[in-house]
Every structure is written in C-alpha cells, then in structure tokens.
Amino acid sequence: MPAVDLKAQFTAAKQLFRVSDDPDLMRAQFDAFSKQIPLLYLILISNTIAVAYSYVNVAPDWLTMTVPSALTLLAAFRTFWWLRQRHQVRSDADILRNLRVMNWMTLPIGAGFTAWSFALYPYGDPFGKSQIAFYMAVTVIGCIFSLMNLRSAALIVTLVVDVPYVLFFWATGEPTLKAIAVNNLLVSGAMVTVLFIYYRDFADLVASRKSLLTQQAATQALSDENFRLANLDSLTELPNRRRFFAELSSAFADAERRHVGVAVGIIDLDDFKPINDNYGHSVGDRVLIEAGRRIREVCEGFGPQRVEFARLGGDEFGVVVCGDPEDADLARLGERIGEQVKLPYQLDTAHTGLSCSIGFALYPRSATTAEALYECADYSLYHAKRRLGGRTVTFSSELEAEIRSRGVIENLLRTVDFDTEMELVFQPIVDAMSEHTTGFEALARWQSPRLGWVSPADFIPAAERIGLIRPLTQSLLVRALAAAKAWPGHTRLSFNLSAHDICSPDGILPLISIIEKSGVAPRRLDFEITETAVTFDFVRAQQSIAALKAMGCGISLDDFGTGYSSLSHVHRLPLDKLKIDRSFVADINDNPVSHKIVKSLTGLCDDMEIACVVEGVETRAQLDSLRSLGCDFVQGYYFAKPMPGAAIEGYLAKEREWCDGADAKVVA
Ligand code: C2E
Ligand code: CA
Ligand code: CA
C-alpha cells in the first residue's frame, strides 16, 4: 500500500515539472512569456556583467570574459527570439513544443550560471564572495518572478539554483554566508508558496476567461438562431418576407453598383382559397408546404442566374433573380415554376391541381428603386391574375401606361362630384321563356371631361382603392331608385354593391336609409354582390345581406363562376338569384365545357330553388341553348344594351307593342 502511495506521489511531483497541455492555459502562458522573458534575460545579463566586471583582474579570463560573453550571446539570442513571438500565429502543438523547450532550457541555463558563480567564488575577497551570494540570491528571485506563469520552469530554476546555493554557502562554514544561506532558504520557501498561489490564480483566471468566451459563443449562437428564426417562415421553413426584402435590397444595391440587371418576381397560387375553405386549414397548409418545396427546387436548380426564394405570406411567394437576367430567363423560370406547381397534390381523399400566376419586373428597365421594382412586379401579378389567370407577366411599358392611367383615374376621382359627373344606364333583365323584361340592372357610367368615357371596370376598383366607393354607391343608389320609382310597379331594379359596401362596419346603414326614403318597395330591389366581395369579410357580408333581406330586398350572386365558386358560400347565404358570368355564354354553342358548366350551374340553381340569370346573351342561338338548359332570366346585347334612364319608358312601350302584336297574332 505505501509503495503505491509513493508511486502516486512521485507521479504527482513529476507533473509539477511538466508543462500543462491545456490549450488555453498554454496560450496564456506563451503570451505572458513573450512579454516577460526579455525582462528575465535583461536581469540575468546585467547582473552577470556586473559580477564579471568585479572579477576581471582576479579571475581567469575564460571565467570573466569567455563564459559571460557566451551566456550573454545565448541570452541575447533568446531575447530576440521571444520578442519576435509577439505577433506570430502559432498552432497549439507549436506552442506546447516551445514551452517545453523553454521549460527544460531553464535546467542547463540555471545550472550553468550556478556553476559559473561557484567557479568564480574562490577568486573573490570577502566582498567579492558576498557579491556572489547576493548576485545569485537576487538573480534567482528575479528569474522566479519572471517565470511565475510557468510554474514548472520556476520550480526547476529554484531547485537547480537554490538547493546548491544553500548547500554551498552552508558548507563554507562562514557564519555570515551560512546566515545568508538560511535566509535564502526561507525566502525560497516563501517564493515557492507565492508561486503556487499565483499559478493557481493564473490558471483559474484563464479557465474562467475560457468559460466566459464559451458563454459568449453560446450567446452568439443563440442570437444567430434567433436571427435565423426571425428570417424563416414558420410553416414552410422557407425564408420569410423580412428575409425577402433584405435579400432584395442587397441584390438591388449590388446590381446598381455593377450596372447589371436584377429581377423581382411575385408568385401567387390561383384557386388556393377554396382548398382552404373546402378541405380545412391543415390540408391547405400541406399544399402550401408542398408548393413552396417545389418552387424552391426550381429556384435552386435554375441557372445561370442565382434565384433567391421566399414565402411572402398566405399563398404568395417571391423570387429575386440576380445576375443580369433577361426576359427570356424570366419566362423560362416562370414556365418551370408553373409546371411544377401544376403537378397534382394529395389532399385528404383526393388529388388536386393548382396553377399560379407570376408577375416579374426587371431593373433597370422598370424601376429605379428596389421598392418601386417590387411594386411593378406586384402590378404585373395583378395583371396576370386579372387578365390571364395562371400566367407569367413581365412588367412592360403598356403596364406602366396602365398604372399611370390608374393613378390619373384615382386623382380625378378624388375631385369628381359624383352627383353630376357620374351617371347610370340600365340594362333589361328578361324572362328567358316569355322574353318579357322583368327588371333593369343599373350600371354606372363616367363621362370624364378630361379622360372621356371611363369604364366602370376601371373606376369602380379605383374608387374602392382610394376609399371613395361608399359615397359613390350612395349617390348612384339615390338616382337608381329615383329612376325605378317611375317604372311600372312590377319592374325590378338590380343594383351592384361592392365589397366595401357590404363589408365595412356601417356601410349598409346609409343604403338602408336611402331605400327607406326612396318610396320604392324593397321587394322590387335586387342587390348584386360578387363572391370576391363576400369572401372579403364573410361574417360582416352575411350581416349586411341579412339586413337587406330583412327589408324584403333580393340578393343575387354576381359573376358566378369567375371567382373561386366556393359552394359553401352559396349554401351559407340567403340568395335569391345566381348570375352566371357572360364568359360561359360567349362560346356556349362551340365549347362543350362551357355548355356543361352552364348546365351544371342551372342544375345547382334548381336544386337550391333559386333563380338563375345568365348575362351576356348576344345571339338567338345562345338564347335557345340557355332556354333548353332551363335558365330563368337572361340579359345581354341581344335584347338591349344598357340605356339611359330616359330611354326606358320608350323601350318598355315598344316591348309592350311588340308583345301585344304577338298576342294578337296568336289570337288571330
Ligand atoms: P357586371 O355587374 O357583370 O355588369 C355586366 C357588364 O356586362 C356590364 O358592363 C354590361 O354593360 C356588360 N354587358 C351586358 N350585356 C352584355 C353583352 O351581351 N355582351 C357583352 N360583351 N357585355 C355585356 P359594364 O357596364 O362595363 O360594367 C362592368 C362592371 O362594372 C360590372 O359588371 C360591375 O361589376 C361593375 N359596375 C358597373 N356599375 C356598377 C355600380 O354601379 N356599382 C358597382 N359596385 N359596380 C358596378
Ligand atoms: Ca352586376
Ligand atoms: Ca356580372
């Protein structure tokens, strides 16, 4: 047992003379040394020269000249070497090797100086001998201090100098020197104690600095992670809107500096909302994730331009195309994205296909700032959606002209007096079987003194955008009702409402009071609303519709089939009529698909026991087909174009004449 203890103690003792291989401690030691070691050699050389000088005439030259010169040269060389270490980058292994060399070099150097001192000693008079004792004691203290950061080296020096020192001077028998020896022994003991304490604190300091650095690194990693998350879309794990705009502004700045092109694209899934409405949000989410994944794959595999991709929100994605893309590149990218998005998606029980619309804008052609470029892409998308559902549109000079005219329309609308500049025309709605006019749809007209005739398809959305649609609707409704008041009591009035009329909190109240004041029976009125308007804010739309219904007004769902025809809306709203969009009528006799759609829509109306109105009837053949499909009412140029209110009386009179004539023929 004691043998084992001894062995362990020996190993521990050996450890004291070894250089630690803790990388941080090593680096700190090396760093401290590169500053302190030159000082150590300075003490050593200056003290040595002082001693050699005292012995010049009494001791042999090799002792007073040769050895000190050689030692001085060696010390100077080492000083120079250490001074050079200050600005060098070294590997851990290199540092360890140098510290080890340093550690073990203290042995021959310490022993060398000790031996040299003892060799000189016999030549000195008592003063000279005392000088040797003083020189050795002071120098060793200086050396130990300078070596404190490397405990092993300091211990080696203490051992190779102080042990022989104490023995040597004790052995001289000279009382003063013996006293100095004892003195030095005590001082050495104190020095070693201080050395241990200092070294422990030094090692602790290095360790705590290391843990501080680790902590800092952990904090940095955490903040990096936060940054990553802040730039990531939580559903699709794609870069998010914030990231997109950061990417856009840096790509834009880069393109500006290098005088090359950069493009922005906005991708919007068509018909995504019904998936959400009909299959629920979790299915919708899965479709979004999958669509995002596919678009990302296209972007990553695209070349030679680099494409950055992000989810902007909802079913909208964005791309930044860097590296001077041309129109053809954008068309190619749009086509590939479109192809991938179109592939089937697995829903709960079924598969579905999607399409997408993409709007691109190219710098420098379309805009001079990143924000404007994005706006242009957004407008291209709007155009792609509105006109060409499921296509890619790149911003062009025509679109620019359109935007400009949009701006002009908006500006003029702000100054227009609706009551004088806006007018109404009326288009008959006809019973499909009897071909008698049952009512009129009021349609707005704007004859602007500056712009000429402006289509309601342009100024109604413009009034919606600038928040003027509600006063416009009110002004038109007052006049439509005034006109209807003059019509025969059974003739109905259809009036178009916009999303803002039925979805803003108090939008419907002024309309109700206008109806009440008009003196026209509410049961003669039909309000036409579009599906898009209803989906704007379904709950509020439902409330507005309920209020109109409660008065006795009828509700028609306008443009049915062009929106995303969510049947759930049809079921959940108290509708009286469904208006089938004229796009299905135009080719009803040539296109079996249109024929089928109208057929299924009239069937739907039958099932729900609501009337069906078909718009845009221009020919007899169309009318015949619609009649055979069981449409209730029709409307279109075949019967009459929209006419001014003043023309209605004449129109109705003519119709009566014609009918009377027809009846007379039948009687005859
Ligand atoms: P809408 O409600 O679907 O109105 C029917 C549109 O089809 C009218 O265009 C009408 O002139 C046109 N039309 C009627 N018969 C035919 C036909 O046989 N062939 C063709 N090609 N077109 C026909 P308009 O007057 O230009 O109105 C466009 C849209 O503007 C309307 O579509 C409606 O959504 C909106 N609008 C018009 N007046 C108002 C209004 O007073 N208030 C609101 N909120 N929207 C209005
Ligand atoms: Ca309408
Ligand atoms: Ca319509």
Side-chain angles (χ1 to χ4, degrees), residues 132-331:
I132 295 279
F134 173 78
Y135 156 73
M136 288 181 74
V138 164
T139 308
V140 84
I141 289 172
C143 292
I144 292 171
F145 260 114
S146 309
L147 289 170
M148 264 191 166
N149 295 309
L150 191 64
R151 189 179 57 189
S152 49
L155 281 176
I156 292 172
V157 169
T158 313
L159 278 184
V160 298
V161 180
D162 280 349
V163 172
Y165 181 98
V166 172
L167 294 177
F168 182 87
F169 286 104
W170 185 264
T172 57
E174 173 64 43
T176 317
L177 293 177
K178 275 169 79 176
I180 289 176
V182 172
N183 217 328
N184 195 20
L185 185 68
L186 294 175
V187 171
S188 299
M191 287 288 298
V192 169
T193 312
V194 171
L195 172 68
F196 270 82
I197 294 170
Y198 174 84
Y199 183 77
R200 191 197 55 207
D201 291 350
F202 176 70
D204 284 353
L205 191 74
V206 171
S208 72
R209 196 179 67 181
K210 181 183 174 184
S211 88
L212 189 74
L213 288 175
T214 321
Q215 221 171 351
Q216 271 173 2
T219 314
Q220 183 64 43
L222 200 70
S223 101
D224 287 352
E225 177 65 4
N226 281 343
F227 179 78
R228 196 181 70 86
L229 290 179
N231 283 282
L232 209 63
D233 173 61
S234 56
L235 174 69
T236 55
E237 300 205 340
L238 292 169
N240 62 11
R241 196 178 178 83
R242 178 203 306 259
R243 179 69 218 234
F244 176 80
F245 284 104
E247 199 65 59
L248 171 60
S249 74
S250 89
F252 191 88
D254 189 55
E256 238 179 350
R257 202 178 47 245
R258 293 171 42 219
H259 302 292
V260 296
V262 65
V264 175
I266 308 175
I267 303 155
D268 190 286
L269 303 182
D270 304 324
D271 300 335
F272 173 72
K273 212 168 172 345
I275 294 184
N276 245 350
D277 290 348
N278 299 334
Y279 292 92
H281 283 272
S282 76
V283 173
D285 284 354
R286 277 192 349 249
V287 170
L288 275 182
I289 292 170
E290 175 60 14
R293 191 191 63 75
R294 293 182 196 174
I295 304 174
R296 174 162 65 184
E297 239 171 54
V298 172
C299 294
E300 283 173 354
F302 195 76
Q305 290 84 11
R306 179 170 64 89
V307 183
E308 297 292 340
F309 172 54
R311 180 182 177 211
L312 299 177
D315 57 351
E316 222 174 68
F317 300 88
V319 288
V320 178
V321 188
C322 311
D324 213 5
E326 294 185 357
D327 285 309
D329 299 312
L330 301 181

Side-chain angles (χ1 to χ4, degrees), residues 441 443 496 528 558-559 579 615:
E441 177 179 2
L443 295 160
N496 294 286
E528 298 193 4
D558 203 357
D559 300 347
K579 293 190 79 171
E615 308 176 316

Side-chain angles (χ1 to χ4, degrees), residues 3 37 52 104 154 246 253 266 310 332 410 420 465 637:
I37 296 295
W104 293 114
I266 308 175
R332 188 162 53 93
E410 287 172 9
T420 54
R465 283 196 300 276
Y637 296 169

Side-chain angles (χ1 to χ4, degrees), residues 523-537:
R523 62 177 165 72
R524 285 177 60 199
L525 303 179
D526 283 307
F527 284 97
E528 298 193 4
I529 51 174
T530 62
E531 290 178 85
T532 341
V534 173
T535 47
F536 204 66
D537 181 344

Side-chain angles (χ1 to χ4, degrees), residues 142 516 536 556:
E516 281 169 347
F536 204 66
S556 307

